Amino acid sequence: MNIQKPVSSIYGNWKEKFSSQWASVLEALKNQFPEAIEEVLLPESHPVDIPTFFVSKAGSLAVLRELKEVHGFSFLTDYTASDEGGQKRFHLIIHLMNLSSKARIRMKIQLSEQETFPTLIPLWEGANWAEREIFDMFGIRFDGHPDLRRILMDVRWEGHPLRKDYPLRGYQVFLTPEPIDPELFK
Amino acid sequence: MNHENSRNFKVDAPLDIARWGFPATYDVTLKKDSDDIFEDSKVLVNIGPTHPAMHGAFRCMARLNGEVIEKSVSEFGYTHRAKEKLGENRTYHQFVVYTDRLNYCSALANNVAYAMSVERLMGIEVPERAIWIRMMCAELARVIDHLICVGINAVDLGAFSYFLYGYHQRERAYTLIEKLCGARLTTSYTRIGGLMGDAPEGWEREVKEWVKETRDVIDEMDRLLTENRIWLKRTKGVAIFNKEDCLKYSYTGPNARAAGLDIDLRRDQPCMFYDRVEFDVPVAQTGDVFDRYYVRLEEIRQSLNILTQCADRIKKGPIWSEDKRTRIPEKERVYNTMEGLIHHFKFFMTGFDVPTGEAYTPFEAANGELGFYIISKGGPSAHRMRIRSPSFWHYQGLDPMIQGEYIADLVAALGSINVIAGELDR
């Protein structure tokens, strides 16, 4: 994102509208969770459109709960991940929206390849399928998830397609259909 | 009272909608047949993936108690085409065609949302005429999408002629789109930094004529179905998804507004020129099938209003931004000069570089918040291209929505949340 160039008003003027709210929320979070907040990227100084902050895995649920219940960021807009390579390979990316001011905020959690992450279903039930998709596409496992199956790919699929080392060509052919596990209906 | 079954029923009288007023109270406790001889007989029913009532390749496995759904498990992914992976391995320009295949009922809106997200990442300003055309495209797509949704929903419940009224107007809208870009369904109309081509001479006037006719047709459709007794019985109080559920499952768009969750990004976070046009945001309270239907019908009217305002304000002018990075070379230059030809090949084969950064750009598409989250690490293709599709979150709410409903209401519920397989599976 070209931060030197002012972003045109046709994209909504987020920086002008929300920068004071973003600053106060981040200040409060930094004071309350000094260990959990690892790094904060602001739109004024970094090429991001909304404040993006990295949170440690241990403090992330507390930070999310605080954001949801105190600061009003109660709408889980998006929950996804990305494969960044290196020691902390995966970034979990959570987009939240404040329903009264419509301000948005982005939170990231760095995970190494074998690490698991606690499920967000107690906070937002809609995180269920998003976590299944992250598991399907990246192979990140979620502790306490009730139904961590593949969601877009076949249940017999091998590999996790959105990892950067996944081959771009190749076949996995299944000649028989896979019935839904009857255990789900118990 | 102007009752539809009385001899004195006036067809042309204004509708007394207050009779079915939005904060409605009705009894929804009766969900079980009292004389059901098969009570407590549990049976597993598999609906889909190729079932005419499932609107695409969805599968719903339901455990029934009599006719009542006790538990259901939804499956999808039959049309998964790895769009997010393609976004990481294609140039930004090449990805435009893939956005058509997201929500194929409103391909233009996806094109607009995608172009806007890359432009925002690059800091490109699009000229005024292109923005007005894009807004018209988005609203045209919204009208088509809503017409399909309410029409098919009615077909599923037995009201076939209703669908044909809407289908005729939809067909004419597709002709307008064909005049704009040569394609009817998979439009690929926007380019990063501009549009494929200018709107033809007099296109705005044709849109205005179409709007005028469609307005009458919508009123006619409203009179035809909204107060129909069978329709009301099949939709009122069926598959209720209230505001709390909507918040839990991140519902957006008309489905959220039908439950009283008053968010519309066109009004709340206006992008493009949505702050310069006037429109209302219809909001209902209950969140049943009827509310989702009626909110959509009202939104068509508002979209038609926006279309007229856009058509009035659109002026002649350039449709490409000043920024030369994303400009597709003129054909005149390509065919007549060597430099032009090289530029052409470089543009389409290597693409243009997008500066490092990340941006999440939401857009109020027909179904709800369509967001493109792009992480760029420089270079001509994205590092991560996330598509936040509204249908993914809407379909997730189907299982809790239909729990305790009749199996026949599954069809009504699925039609009313307007899940599109292309957008759901990506």
Side-chain angles (χ1 to χ4, degrees):
Chain A
M1 203 170 187
N2 197 345
I3 51 167
Q4 278 80 37
K5 211 169 167 183
V7 175
S8 158
S9 66
I10 57 170
Y11 304 120
N13 285 332
W14 290 9
K15 223 189 272 183
E16 288 76 26
K17 255 188 226 167
F18 304 125
S19 55
S20 59
Q21 194 191 354
W22 284 336
S24 66
V25 168
L26 289 170
E27 196 58 39
L29 284 180
K30 266 189 214 162
N31 288 337
Q32 200 172 353
F33 307 99
E35 296 97 45
I37 310 277
E38 287 168 345
E39 193 187 355
V40 178
L41 312 177
L42 288 172
E44 285 81 13
S45 51
H46 291 84
V48 288
D49 60 336
I50 48 177
T52 304
F53 54 101
F54 287 88
V55 181
S56 71
K57 183 185 151 188
S60 51
L61 275 187
V63 172
L64 277 172
R65 186 162 283 124
E66 181 79 8
L67 272 171
K68 183 188 174 190
E69 281 157 16
V70 179
H71 299 292
F73 285 87
S74 56
F75 196 81
L76 177 71
T77 311
D78 196 12
Y79 187 12
T80 182
S82 76
D83 184 359
E84 302 289 331
Q87 186 63 34
K88 292 274 186 186
R89 182 171 178 183
F90 296 117
H91 287 182
L92 284 178
I93 302 160
I94 300 167
H95 285 92
L96 298 177
M97 183 167 79
N98 188 325
L99 275 178
S100 48
S101 71
K102 306 294 186 291
R104 288 162 194 274
I105 210 162
R106 182 183 302 134
M107 181 173 145
K108 288 191 180 185
I109 299 124
Q110 292 178 321
L111 298 177
S112 59
E113 190 164 345
Q114 296 305 325
E115 248 178 307
T116 58
F117 188 73
T119 174
L120 296 190
I121 296 176
L123 287 168
W124 291 279
E125 277 176 56
N128 188 330
W129 280 15
E131 283 174 356
R132 280 178 65 188
E133 197 194 354
I134 294 170
F135 163 69
D136 191 358
M137 293 294 151
F138 293 92
I140 303 169
R141 293 191 164 271
F142 292 90
D143 299 329
H145 193 287
D147 181 24
L148 199 62
R149 287 177 295 138
R150 284 185 180 272
I151 192 165
L152 291 170
M153 315 300 284
D154 194 287
V155 285
R156 296 162 285 182
W157 197 267
E158 278 175 24
H160 299 284
L162 279 181
R163 288 185 174 193
K164 287 286 176 189
D165 52 7
Y166 187 81
L168 285 181
R169 279 168 196 274
Y171 294 95
Q172 288 185 40
V173 181
F174 308 110
L175 294 175
T176 51
E178 178 78 9
I180 293 185
D181 186 5
E183 287 295 311
L184 290 170
F185 296 95
K186 287 280 155 65
Chain B
M1 194 198 287
N2 188 18
H3 199 278
E4 55 268 43
N5 279 16
S6 88
R7 270 176 192 285
N8 305 328
F9 178 61
K10 292 184 200 68
V11 181
D12 293 334
L15 277 180
D16 185 15
I17 292 298
R19 257 203 296 159
W20 316 109
F22 272 137
T25 52
Y26 24 79
D27 187 15
V28 289
T29 49
L30 185 73
K31 282 291 169 204
K32 227 174 178 182
D33 292 341
S34 50
D35 54 348
D36 189 355
I37 53 166
F38 295 111
E39 199 177 338
D40 292 333
S41 61
K42 309 272 166 71
V43 63
L44 277 182
V45 173
N46 179 42
I47 311 150
T50 50
H51 188 278
M54 290 304 274
H55 297 246
F58 313 127
R59 182 187 193 186
C60 185
M61 192 94 163
R63 187 182 74 202
L64 304 181
N65 182 357
E67 270 192 88
V68 179
I69 297 172
E70 280 191 344
K71 185 170 180 168
S72 64
V73 176
S74 294
E75 286 233 326
F76 61 97
Y78 298 95
T79 48
H80 178 54
R81 292 143 300 166
K83 285 227 184 307
E84 294 181 2
K85 191 77 176 173
L86 282 166
E88 295 171 11
N89 294 291
R90 296 283 181 277
T91 65
Y92 288 98
H93 172 73
Q94 284 167 344
F95 194 67
V96 174
V97 290
Y98 294 107
T99 57
D100 295 336
R101 279 89 175 160
L102 284 173
N103 184 345
Y104 35 74
C105 288
S106 53
L108 277 169
N110 306 332
N111 294 158
V112 171
Y114 173 68
M116 204 171 75
S117 59
V118 181
E119 281 154 11
R120 186 152 165 263
L121 197 59
M122 297 179 78
I124 291 178
E125 257 189 89
V126 184
E128 208 165 299
R129 181 174 171 82
I131 295 174
W132 285 118
I133 294 181
R134 282 183 184 188
M135 272 175 70
M136 286 175 83
C137 289
E139 295 308 317
L140 210 52
R142 194 185 317 278
V143 174
I144 294 170
D145 196 288
H146 285 354
L147 276 176
I148 278 290
C149 176
V150 296
I152 300 276
N153 201 2
V155 169
D156 284 346
L157 302 186
F160 189 75
S161 54
Y162 177 81
F163 169 66
L164 294 177
Y165 281 81
Y167 208 81
H168 183 70
Q169 285 315 107
R170 176 178 172 270
E171 195 61 24
R172 298 202 45 203
Y174 273 133
T175 311
L176 286 173
I177 292 173
E178 197 179 358
K179 281 184 181 161
L180 195 64
C181 59
R184 291 169 78 84
L185 197 69
T186 49
T187 48
S188 305
Y189 181 53
T190 58
R191 297 285 181 267
I192 318 296
L195 300 168
M196 186 193 85
D198 204 345
E201 188 73 36
W203 187 73
E204 304 93 68
R205 212 171 44 244
E206 283 178 53
V207 170
K208 267 170 88 174
E209 278 165 26
W210 174 82
V211 164
K212 216 172 143 204
E213 280 173 35
T214 312
R215 226 176 241 140
D216 295 342
V217 172
I218 296 299
D219 289 345
E220 209 171 352
M221 285 166 74
D222 197 350
R223 278 200 298 278
L224 190 64
L225 190 68
T226 305
E227 293 194 51
N228 183 305
R229 166 182 309 195
I230 304 168
W231 173 252
L232 288 171
K233 206 147 194 181
R234 286 300 306 275
T235 56
K236 278 258 176 191
V238 169
I240 292 179
F241 211 63
N242 58 26
K243 194 176 168 183
E244 283 72 41
D245 296 331
C246 284
L247 280 171
K248 272 186 212 160
Y249 287 92
S250 299
Y251 266 41
T252 47
N255 295 342
R257 289 192 283 275
L261 183 58
D262 189 5
I263 44 172
D264 188 328
L265 297 179
R266 291 176 294 169
R267 180 198 60 195
D268 301 331
Q269 267 184 357
C271 57
M272 302 202 273
F273 291 154
Y274 276 113
D275 45 353
R276 299 195 201 171
V277 291
E278 277 180 23
F279 62 98
D280 293 332
V281 180
V283 178
Q285 293 301 327
T286 327
D288 54 8
V289 175
F290 180 83
D291 284 356
R292 288 192 280 271
Y293 152 77
Y294 206 68
V295 161
R296 279 201 169 81
L297 206 62
E298 192 55 41
E299 267 187 30
I300 295 177
R301 293 200 178 102
Q302 300 304 329
S303 287
L304 295 176
N305 284 345
I306 298 177
L307 272 172
T308 330
Q309 292 175 48
C310 293
D312 283 339
R313 297 203 198 169
I314 194 165
K315 286 191 203 77
K316 289 250 172 296
I319 52 161
W320 277 93
S321 86
E322 301 277 306
D323 203 310
K324 289 281 180 263
R325 282 178 293 174
T326 61
R327 180 81 169 87
I328 295 175
E330 295 282 351
K331 288 286 172 288
E332 175 82 30
R333 241 172 77 77
V334 172
Y335 293 136
N336 295 315
T337 64
M338 194 62 219
E339 294 75 25
L341 193 66
I342 293 171
H343 185 190
H344 178 89
F345 274 111
K346 282 295 270 184
F347 184 89
F348 285 105
M349 292 169 81
T350 16
F352 49 83
D353 285 2
V354 171
T356 307
E358 51 190 278
Y360 175 79
T361 313
F363 181 72
E364 182 78 26
N367 261 351
E369 181 177 328
L370 173 70
F372 285 91
Y373 171 52
I374 303 174
I375 304 180
S376 165
K377 302 235 160 150
S381 50
H383 174 75
R384 174 93 173 91
M385 170 81 68
R386 163 74 177 166
I387 303 160
R388 190 261 185 220
S389 63
S391 289
F392 184 82
W393 302 81
H394 292 168
Y395 195 48
Q396 183 171 192
L398 185 71
D399 287 335
M401 191 190 286
I402 58 173
Q403 201 168 17
E405 303 280 340
Y406 286 125
I407 182 117
D409 294 337
L410 159 68
V411 180
L414 185 68
S416 71
I417 56 173
N418 195 21
V419 176
I420 308 286
E423 192 179 48
L424 174 66
D425 295 342
R426 281 157 291 150

